[in-house]
Amino acid sequence: MPPTIILVRHAQALHNVDNNIHDPVLSTLGREQCAQLKEHLMPRIPQDLDVGLIIVSPMVRTIETALLAFGDLIDRGVPIVAHAGWQENSLQPCDIGTPLPTLAARFPQVDFSRVDPIYPDKTSPRAAPLYGFSREAIVGRGRAVLRELRARPEKAVLVVSHSGFLRAGVTGCYYMNADYRVFEFEEGEGSEELRQWEETREGGMGWSWDETVPLGDGLPDDASIGVGVDGGAQEMANGV
């Protein structure tokens, strides 16, 4: 049986004010949001959500969110694994990651061994088809990470990622900072279709919008058209 998946947007980071910051850290508000997320969600694990794995985008703000909000799970032995497929969409400085050796030294709790070695490259001929800023690349990446999740053996998997990718590449839903949504895979062998828990229609924290868009919405067909912006929706940049 495929796992239940809990998709979390990172808490507010410094780039939510200035996109020119490279791979930014969480803001003071973001750290407070992590504490709220922890208080809200952790009592439901494992009672309602038997999380056996944490996956993070290998970017500083997602890793910090996971460690602050779900550090108790890690202390209990739940593995935390970085995955390049869950990184954000754009080519802005804030959405370009830090080299893996630096991340591994900074965050020893996280398993970086399975991150695509091409990370953080998004623009080379080898990287662009997978990680470039185009509809084909981002929607294709969304399908790929969902196929991987569907095959996981855990009862529930928690993923900390980014609003733009979660919306345009994975679910079509909007995510405010530090909010989450819970999904089940639809029945049918190999199906990548998701069914959202009704209680998270406005986000599990109640901070998001009950509105959906088609996958790929707002993304360019040609990656050379522009670099995009983090999250694809500036009106959501400051979170709650």
Side-chain angles (χ1 to χ4, degrees):
M1 182 175 180
T4 300
I5 57 174
I6 306 105
L7 301 180
V8 184
R9 181 189 177 186
H10 64 80
Q12 189 195 70
L14 297 181
H15 74 300
N16 291 134
V17 178
D18 182 357
N19 274 347
N20 290 316
I21 300 173
H22 173 250
D23 201 6
V25 299
L26 294 182
S27 65
T28 299
L29 174 58
R31 299 177 76 86
E32 294 171 357
Q33 290 170 340
C34 288
Q36 292 176 278
L37 177 62
K38 177 179 180 177
E39 182 179 3
H40 177 89
L41 191 53
M42 281 298 297
R44 302 192 64 178
I45 303 172
Q47 281 81 359
D48 303 319
L49 295 160
D50 192 1
V51 174
L53 176 67
I54 302 168
I55 297 175
V56 290
S57 158
M59 303 192 77
V60 170
R61 59 190 181 271
T62 44
I63 296 169
E64 288 187 337
T65 297
L67 295 178
L68 287 171
F70 309 116
D72 289 352
L73 289 179
I74 299 165
D75 291 342
R76 294 178 204 166
V78 174
I80 177 169
V81 176
H83 191 312
W86 291 95
Q87 66 183 295
E88 185 57 299
N89 298 340
S90 89
L91 302 180
Q92 295 280 358
C94 60
D95 292 333
I96 302 299
T98 299
L100 292 174
T102 302
L103 286 175
R106 184 172 177 180
F107 300 109
Q109 309 96 316
V110 180
D111 179 359
F112 293 96
S113 66
R114 285 170 270 184
V115 177
D116 187 341
I118 204 169
Y119 185 84
D121 179 14
K122 292 184 177 182
T123 59
S124 72
R126 181 182 166 201
L130 296 172
Y131 306 112
F133 185 66
S134 71
R135 181 178 290 107
E136 181 178 8
I138 291 165
V139 173
R141 181 154 57 92
R143 291 194 184 107
V145 293
L146 285 178
R147 281 196 299 271
E148 289 184 16
L149 279 184
R150 184 180 178 87
R152 293 296 314 180
E154 293 84 9
K155 293 180 180 178
V157 177
L158 195 155
V159 181
V160 184
S161 185
H162 307 264
S163 64
F165 180 61
L166 291 174
R167 182 181 67 255
V170 182
T171 70
C173 300
Y174 287 87
Y175 297 73
M176 295 293 271
N177 287 126
D179 210 350
Y180 70 94
R181 297 179 184 272
V182 182
F183 297 87
E184 308 285 354
F185 284 94
E186 293 284 9
E187 295 182 5
E189 185 175 353
S191 173
E192 296 153 18
E193 297 297 317
L194 298 173
R195 179 180 68 258
Q196 185 173 187
W197 283 19
E198 191 63 34
E199 67 185 79
T200 67
R201 288 288 176 180
E202 294 182 350
M205 302 294 294
W207 294 340
S208 300
W209 302 338
D210 183 9
E211 178 182 342
T212 60
V213 297
L215 294 182
D217 183 65
L219 297 175
D221 291 322
D222 184 344
S224 67
I225 289 175
V227 297
V229 293
D230 176 59
Q234 285 297 320
E235 68 272 19
M236 299 189 67
N238 291 324
V240 296

